Amino acid sequence: MSENLLELKDYSVSFNTPKGEVEAVRNVNLELKPGEILGVVGESGCGKTVMCKSVMKLMPKNAFIKSGSVKVQGEDITSYKERDMRPLRGKRFAMVFQDPMTSLNPTIPIGKQITESILKHEKVSTDEAKRRAIEMLDLVGIKDPNERFKLQPHFFSGGMRQRCVLAVALASKPELLFADEATTALDVTVEEKILNLLLDIRERLGIGMVFISHDLGAVARVADRVAVMYAGKIVEIGTAEEIYYDPRHPYTWGLLSSLPALARKDGELNFIHGMPPSLIDPPPGDAFAERNKYALAIDYEKEPPMFQISETHSAATWLLDERAPRVVSPVNLKKRSALWQQIRS
Amino acid sequence: MKKRRITKKIIKRVILFFIAMFVLSVVVFFLARLAPGDPLQAFYGEALDTMDESQIEAARQRLGLDDNLFVQYFKWLGGALHGDFGLSLKYKMKVQNVVNPLIGNTLGLGITAYCVVFALAIVLATVAALHEDDWLDKIICKVGTATYYIPSFWLGVVLVLIFSVNLGWFPSSGAYDVGKQGDIGNRIQHMILPLIVMIASHFWYYAYMIRNKLLDEFRKDYVLLAKAKGLTRRQIVWKHCLRNVAPTIVSIMAIAIPHVISGTVVVEAVFGYPGIGNLAVESAKYHDYNMLMMTVLLTGAFVFIASFVAQTVNEEIDPRMKVTKEIRW
């Protein structure tokens, strides 16, 4: 077994706020292999972004790692300070953000924003850095990189800017890329292209990615494995097929049923009722219990452990316990399940 | 194409300049005359008490103060357009001749203070922003705020007490000692105390503005990307944020011109520094109408030109402002 690119163990991140401690990420266990794409899905505020930003330690000062450890390529960086992190950022891991319109400095030519990253990490001449930057622009599919190199971001459309952001992030050849809602702000046709680009980059550079999104379609498109997060926890994790065709957690059912393709007969969309709980003093037991129509009495008292379903698939719900009543997944998801059985056999 | 646009722009600005000056002159002209008090007091001083009605009437006529206000205004305007701004009632000579030697004093004081204020403000703002919420930032903020709230007339008097009266290091008033007009060292010596007061009462206002602008800038998304690629806070502030904040700093600097100039008024009055500010205060006090018009129009023109320059510089710095025009073309 090759070394894990990223390994989170019992990882918790909290914020100190005037109203109390916000437990944004709670006891997350996760690993990522080199060259693998892990999709992370969940509602807004479920801790997806915090999880990734905290790995890179790009958090505001009031955030802290409450427990657990982070390992990147076997190196434990949990207690690393700003000074220790700097050489790693951009080199070991890089990040792409949601809004390409604001993530580039508007007054600096994009070429310079790329070379800056290269020059920071490697002792190369300016010419060499420029050559590499142009190569990078070419890699992310910017045409005429030689001329575009000198242009400021406002000459580019949203999709092209996101390509530029990718070029900046990939410039010093990181091993791990966090894509935080990288395609959310783009329209669907551009999104499709960027998703293809991500797959292409993985193919060519062999880097691992954590692809955060609340768009299940986009995740299905690129991810090898998918983690479903709710209220700061991973509630279900498995290969993309397992999550999409054989989901076990009621929250995952809810998410998948909400896809427009699975709309009800009357044309109404399915949705998950209620709001996620406040993460200041999260409720005991299963945080999803209150919104869960399949909730059991125990859900309100005791937190469900991760039940292993297959070697790759596990979910945290009491429904998987031997003693639990047999609950069938929603009808519209059953068809998918059946399909999955077919695929497997 | 481009040249024509620039010419058009300049013509527009020049027209605007004259309109502004015209409005300013009308307002000041009538306001000054509506204020209670007698300009003859300034001209004759004590002698006025011993003059009889007919003498006063004759004096008024001679000075052109008996006409209808509008006639007076147009007479003044006619003269001004020919470069004749009239007679100072107090100094009994042409206002230009009174003002000319003082302009240098005020400009010297104002420009030096202005440069030091902004050099200091930018440096302190950057240092504070780099160390946001650390002890260094906190000290700079607290000391800066305290200095800002010391009234400048009070600080002036205290400085004079300490450094002129007790220690005797610096002179307490004037721009130079008698007979040492050309001695630069002597002039600098006279300038130091007024400068300190000007700087102390102005720098923090701007330093704080720039600090907050920098911090706002530092919260933007692109800073996160820059951080994510491994740049240090220092590099991001110097290479990215300061550059992006530069247009704002230039605008602040332009707006600051009248602010700092108004500062010279107080300081010149406290230190008896012979300059335009002191002159403006005096002329308002003595109803020296022509002198008041001169000083106000002079500062007005200065402010207008300064803001024009600032805008031009702004457009040069920030490429986004230019692009909209290119697209329109």
Side-chain angles (χ1 to χ4, degrees):
Chain A
M1 197 183 103
S2 61
E3 197 172 47
N4 283 328
L5 193 53
L6 174 69
E7 204 177 304
L8 301 181
K9 274 220 173 82
D10 191 34
Y11 188 64
S12 302
V13 179
S14 288
F15 291 88
N16 279 323
T17 70
K19 284 182 183 163
E21 182 188 329
V22 178
E23 299 175 36
V25 174
R26 302 188 291 152
N27 313 93
V28 163
N29 287 297
L30 194 75
E31 55 222 25
L32 186 74
K33 302 241 173 331
E36 189 180 38
I37 300 185
L38 173 76
V40 180
V41 294
E43 275 162 289
S44 304
C46 71
K48 311 179 291 251
T49 303
V50 172
M51 186 174 82
C52 294
K53 279 193 184 163
S54 72
V55 169
M56 289 188 72
K57 301 209 195 300
L58 291 175
M59 302 294 284
K61 277 181 185 163
N62 61 344
F64 60 97
I65 296 175
K66 198 182 170 194
S67 72
S69 66
V70 206
K71 274 188 192 165
V72 174
Q73 291 178 310
E75 188 176 344
D76 191 330
I77 62 162
T78 319
S79 58
Y80 274 25
K81 296 270 179 302
E82 185 67 21
R83 186 181 295 271
D84 313 311
M85 289 303 293
R86 248 178 256 135
L88 303 183
R89 291 189 194 132
K91 190 79 200 149
R92 284 282 176 86
F93 34 60
M95 196 160 186
V96 177
F97 301 95
Q98 174 168 358
D99 191 354
M101 303 315 262
T102 57
S103 28
L104 290 164
N105 186 337
T107 60
I108 297 182
I110 54 139
K112 207 183 153 213
Q113 300 192 41
I114 301 172
T115 50
E116 212 175 29
S117 169
I118 299 172
L119 290 170
K120 176 78 197 170
H121 293 286
E122 287 160 62
K123 285 206 164 72
V124 293
S125 67
T126 330
D127 285 343
E128 169 67 10
K130 187 177 171 182
R131 197 188 57 73
R132 288 253 308 269
I134 289 170
E135 213 177 270
M136 233 48 236
L137 284 174
D138 192 46
L139 176 80
V140 297
I142 301 268
K143 291 194 186 87
D144 305 325
N146 278 309
E147 284 95 75
R148 299 263 164 81
F149 181 85
K150 301 180 207 89
L151 298 181
Q152 276 101 0
H154 58 259
F155 288 97
F156 295 81
S157 67
M160 279 171 78
R161 283 194 208 186
Q162 197 61 303
R163 287 169 192 269
C164 294
V165 174
L166 262 171
V168 172
L170 296 173
S172 19
K173 304 200 171 82
E175 303 287 331
L176 170 60
L177 181 71
F178 293 104
D180 182 7
E181 305 266 11
T183 59
T184 307
L186 305 171
D187 68 67
V188 275
T189 49
V190 181
E191 177 177 23
E192 170 72 14
K193 284 183 190 152
I194 297 287
L195 292 177
N196 282 337
L197 177 64
L198 285 177
L199 286 170
D200 183 47
I201 285 168
R202 191 257 300 258
E203 198 76 19
R204 287 214 234 166
L205 306 180
I207 66 177
M209 294 185 201
V210 176
F211 184 84
I212 304 175
S213 183
H214 52 248
D215 180 352
L216 291 160
V219 171
R221 186 87 181 65
V222 294
D224 304 315
R225 286 198 304 139
V226 177
V228 181
M229 279 188 85
Y230 185 78
K233 284 179 173 256
I234 290 186
V235 292
E236 184 164 8
I237 185 166
T239 64
E241 288 83 5
E242 284 165 340
I243 298 294
Y244 281 88
Y245 293 109
D246 187 25
R248 295 300 176 92
H249 196 283
Y251 180 63
T252 318
W253 292 346
L255 281 183
L256 286 170
S257 311
S258 321
L259 285 176
L262 298 178
R264 297 205 299 260
K265 281 224 175 72
D266 55 11
E268 295 274 313
L269 287 174
N270 292 304
F271 59 92
I272 305 173
H273 289 270
M275 292 282 288
S278 156
L279 292 175
I280 301 175
D281 247 336
D286 186 353
F288 186 57
E290 233 170 90
R291 305 166 72 186
N292 182 3
K293 57 181 174 182
Y294 307 99
L296 308 171
I298 191 170
D299 274 328
Y300 292 94
E301 286 155 25
K302 202 162 169 229
E303 229 172 284
M306 271 288 188
F307 289 95
Q308 204 74 29
I309 299 149
S310 73
E311 204 181 306
T312 47
H313 192 185
S314 53
T317 168
W318 283 115
L319 292 180
L320 292 170
D321 193 88
E322 292 165 346
R323 290 156 291 177
R326 310 277 2 128
V327 169
V328 273
S329 59
V331 190
N332 46 12
L333 290 178
K334 247 195 218 153
K335 279 189 215 147
R336 293 178 146 243
S337 240
L339 206 67
W340 170 235
Q341 297 301 334
Q342 263 179 23
I343 295 169
R344 275 232 286 223
S345 58
Chain B
M1 197 64 199
K2 202 178 168 194
K3 239 184 188 159
R4 242 180 72 195
R5 209 173 43 230
I6 292 174
T7 342
K8 223 171 125 186
K9 201 161 121 187
I10 291 176
I11 292 172
K12 220 165 109 185
R13 292 285 159 97
V14 170
I15 294 172
L16 211 62
F17 174 77
F18 281 108
I19 293 175
M21 285 298 113
F22 174 71
V23 173
L24 187 63
S25 72
V26 170
V27 170
V28 176
F29 189 91
F30 288 99
L31 269 184
R33 277 159 179 80
L34 287 174
D38 191 350
L40 286 184
Q41 193 91 48
F43 198 84
Y44 293 104
E46 302 273 297
L48 189 65
D49 300 334
T50 60
M51 286 160 70
D52 61 36
E53 281 296 308
S54 62
Q55 275 175 313
I56 290 176
E57 206 48 49
R60 271 186 202 286
Q61 212 160 17
R62 199 150 34 83
L63 293 171
L65 293 167
D66 60 340
D67 289 331
N68 177 302
L69 275 189
F70 291 95
V71 177
Q72 279 189 41
Y73 178 74
F74 284 107
K75 270 187 185 165
W76 176 86
L77 189 64
L81 289 177
H82 290 98
D84 174 15
F85 289 89
L87 208 63
S88 160
L89 297 179
K90 184 160 180 275
Y91 294 90
K92 300 169 186 69
M93 49 192 209
K94 290 205 163 192
V95 286
Q96 289 104 306
N97 296 345
V98 183
V99 167
N100 280 343
L102 301 185
I103 290 180
N105 288 347
T106 297
L107 279 187
L109 183 64
I111 290 174
T112 320
Y114 185 79
C115 294
V116 180
V117 161
F118 272 95
L120 202 64
I122 291 171
V123 170
L124 282 179
T126 314
V127 172
L130 272 173
H131 297 269
E132 190 196 356
D133 284 340
D134 282 356
W135 58 270
L136 191 56
D137 179 38
K138 280 180 185 153
I139 289 178
I140 292 176
C141 285
K142 298 237 154 87
V143 172
T145 313
T147 347
Y148 178 65
Y149 283 107
I150 298 175
S152 52
F153 53 84
W154 181 83
L155 182 63
V157 173
V158 169
L159 287 182
V160 167
L161 264 180
I162 298 174
F163 293 104
S164 307
V165 179
N166 287 337
L167 297 173
W169 290 356
F170 300 108
S172 63
S173 70
Y176 45 83
D177 288 329
V178 184
K180 285 190 176 170
Q181 242 156 307
D183 185 351
I184 295 197
N186 187 267
R187 277 179 179 263
I188 290 176
Q189 235 184 356
H190 277 83
M191 218 192 244
I192 284 176
L193 288 185
L195 260 184
I196 291 176
V197 175
M198 294 261 301
I199 293 161
S201 57
H202 285 97
F203 82 92
W204 183 245
Y205 186 74
Y206 300 109
Y208 192 65
M209 251 198 243
I210 296 169
R211 170 187 175 271
N212 289 354
K213 280 279 159 206
L214 271 176
L215 290 181
D216 279 351
E217 197 66 22
F218 202 76
R219 311 237 185 291
K220 293 203 171 154
D221 282 357
Y222 73 83
V223 170
L224 213 54
L225 186 72
K227 257 193 198 170
K229 69 186 178 194
L231 298 193
T232 62
R233 194 178 169 98
R234 191 178 297 264
Q235 281 168 322
I236 295 170
V237 168
W238 281 113
K239 289 189 187 160
H240 288 254
C241 297
L242 259 182
R243 184 194 167 100
N244 290 10
V245 171
T248 322
I249 296 182
V250 174
S251 321
I252 293 175
M253 283 176 78
I255 302 164
I257 293 172
H259 187 192
V260 177
I261 285 179
S262 68
T264 61
V265 174
V266 175
V267 171
E268 282 176 7
V270 171
F271 288 94
Y273 197 85
I276 304 294
N278 208 356
L279 196 63
V281 173
E282 262 180 26
S283 51
K285 205 156 74 186
Y286 292 112
H287 293 272
D288 195 347
Y289 294 148
N290 290 334
M291 185 58 89
L292 189 63
M293 291 294 275
M294 183 68 185
T295 50
V296 170
L297 288 183
L298 208 61
T299 36
F302 190 64
V303 168
F304 194 91
I305 292 167
S307 66
F308 171 62
V309 170
Q311 196 164 0
T312 316
V313 175
N314 256 340
E315 284 166 9
E316 280 309 306
I317 293 179
D318 195 335
R320 283 168 296 186
M321 297 193 181
K322 263 194 262 171
V323 152
T324 47
K325 283 173 223 148
E326 273 163 35
I327 287 168
R328 206 182 296 143
W329 175 81

